[in-house]
Amino acid sequence: MNRRTALGLGTVATAGTVLGTATPASADTAPAATPERVAARLAAAYERETTRAGGNWQAYVSVAGTAGGTPVVAVAESPDQRIEAYSVNKIAVATAVLDKVDRGLLALDQRVEVTASIVVPGGDGIFSLDGAYPSSVTLGHALAALLTVSDDTAVRLCGLVCPAAELNSILVAKGFPNTQVEPVANPNRFFLGTSTPRETHELLRALVAGTLLSPASTTFLLNLLRSPIAFTDGIRRTMSSDERARIATKAGWFGSARHEAGIVFDAAGAPLLTYALFADGQAGADDFGATHPAVQARARLGRVFLDATARLTGTGARHRLTAQRPSNGG
């Protein structure tokens, strides 16, 4: 069995050849007119970039079907393998917290205490940089830090209002039994746990479809993932600010793993492409910057995602982004 067959790419690639869309690597960013042709180009780009980066990849990528039809799968590499999702699972954590907000059990303007003991020393984010505790922030502020700068202490703040066991039960009830945090002795703390490429992909599709959370919570979550300060080293790297605003994304990194999952919207705000890319085992495990091979691969794929879909229209509800522009103070 060759790698293309194992990835589930054979059908898409064959379709691309029959349709006359099998093109050199330099042409796979040219706009395509149908979801099937886009899928063929994405499949070729994915195989090329992941082979170049090396290591292990698990992924699920789909393109919106015509007129709201079934999405066309472009990539399915070990889509049901349960793996450590790391910070990509912060989307799932936020989903559980916002579910409690939707049920009136929590409120975004309620305050959570930031004590010295809850801060993750040296962790990613901003809370570990404050240097002045105790303090308090709103739950909305904690979620904003969780999903934009991927703050590690914000995970613990979420655990104060949504313990691990409850969080997992919420995700199971929503249909995501493999997307689970890992409990520890303290019931209000947890490791970020596991997911599968397919479940992460389906969680994102449920989010934009409006079946995961209320309209208000959906808008709140998507605005964070599409904000200018959300992750830009991967999929969104080689894009203008307006193009970046069309991508809702969340990355996760730990050890040798470099993950990213998200949604590409068309210019009108309709979902166009959904991706869940999990990678580990590449060279440069100590490099958490933009030069890591897997992150570079995702940056190149991000440009392909936008360019190859330029002539397609997304399907489903439109999610318009609130305009955000730099300020000079005052």
Side-chain angles (χ1 to χ4, degrees), residues 8 57 80 83 102 127 131 152-153 226 230 249 269 281 285 291 307 316 325:
W57 291 81
D80 299 311
I83 53 180
D102 289 343
F127 286 112
D152 293 333
T153 296
R226 295 169 72 179
T249 201
T291 55
D307 293 342
R325 294 290 182 264

Side-chain angles (χ1 to χ4, degrees), residues 70-323:
T70 302
V72 179
V73 177
V75 177
E77 179 167 12
S78 303
D80 299 311
Q81 182 175 331
R82 189 168 179 170
I83 53 180
E84 294 287 342
Y86 299 118
S87 287
V88 168
N89 258 9
K90 289 175 181 174
I91 301 175
V93 172
T95 295
V97 172
L98 289 169
D99 176 81
K100 294 187 67 175
V101 171
D102 289 343
R103 289 183 284 133
L105 302 175
L106 298 173
L108 290 179
D109 61 358
Q110 75 180 68
R111 303 193 76 84
V112 289
E113 297 300 315
V114 184
T115 62
S117 63
I118 207 169
V119 173
V120 178
D124 286 321
I126 58 176
F127 286 112
S128 64
L129 302 177
D130 290 356
Y133 315 103
S135 63
S136 69
V137 296
T138 63
L139 182 57
H141 182 101
L143 288 172
L146 180 80
L147 295 179
T148 58
V149 295
S150 199
D151 196 288
D152 293 333
T153 296
V155 176
R156 293 182 174 183
L157 297 177
C158 289
L160 292 178
V161 298
C162 190
E166 182 182 17
L167 196 160
N168 282 339
S169 68
I170 291 171
L171 292 172
V172 169
K174 290 182 177 293
F176 305 104
N178 294 304
T179 305
Q180 301 279 281
V181 299
E182 181 184 342
V184 295
N186 184 332
N188 295 105
R189 293 192 184 180
F190 46 81
F191 294 113
L192 286 165
T194 62
S195 188
T196 70
R198 192 190 305 272
E199 276 201 4
T200 294
H201 174 278
E202 292 307 304
L203 187 149
L204 290 167
R205 280 184 44 78
L207 175 66
V208 294
T211 61
L212 191 70
L213 296 167
S214 71
S217 288
T218 298
T219 298
F220 176 77
L221 199 158
L222 286 175
N223 280 350
L224 294 176
L225 296 176
R226 295 169 72 179
S227 68
I229 62 168
F231 190 73
T232 56
D233 274 351
I235 293 295
R236 304 203 304 172
R237 186 194 308 171
T238 314
M239 296 181 184
S240 70
S241 56
D242 286 343
E243 287 173 333
R244 286 178 174 180
R246 290 175 47 201
I247 315 290
T249 201
K250 183 71 193 75
W253 52 91
F254 189 78
S256 70
R258 302 293 186 275
H259 307 329
E260 191 168 358
I263 305 155
V264 178
F265 297 86
D266 67 17
L272 182 58
L273 183 152
T274 308
Y275 58 92
L277 305 170
F278 295 86
D280 66 82
Q282 292 78 25
D286 294 329
D287 178 7
F288 294 97
T291 55
H292 186 278
V295 181
Q296 289 182 320
R298 297 201 316 266
R300 290 188 289 267
L301 285 173
R303 195 64 248 175
V304 174
F305 287 176
L306 273 189
D307 293 342
T309 59
R311 292 172 59 189
L312 295 185
T313 300
T315 61
R318 294 179 178 180
H319 301 274
R320 297 189 182 278
L321 183 69
T322 302

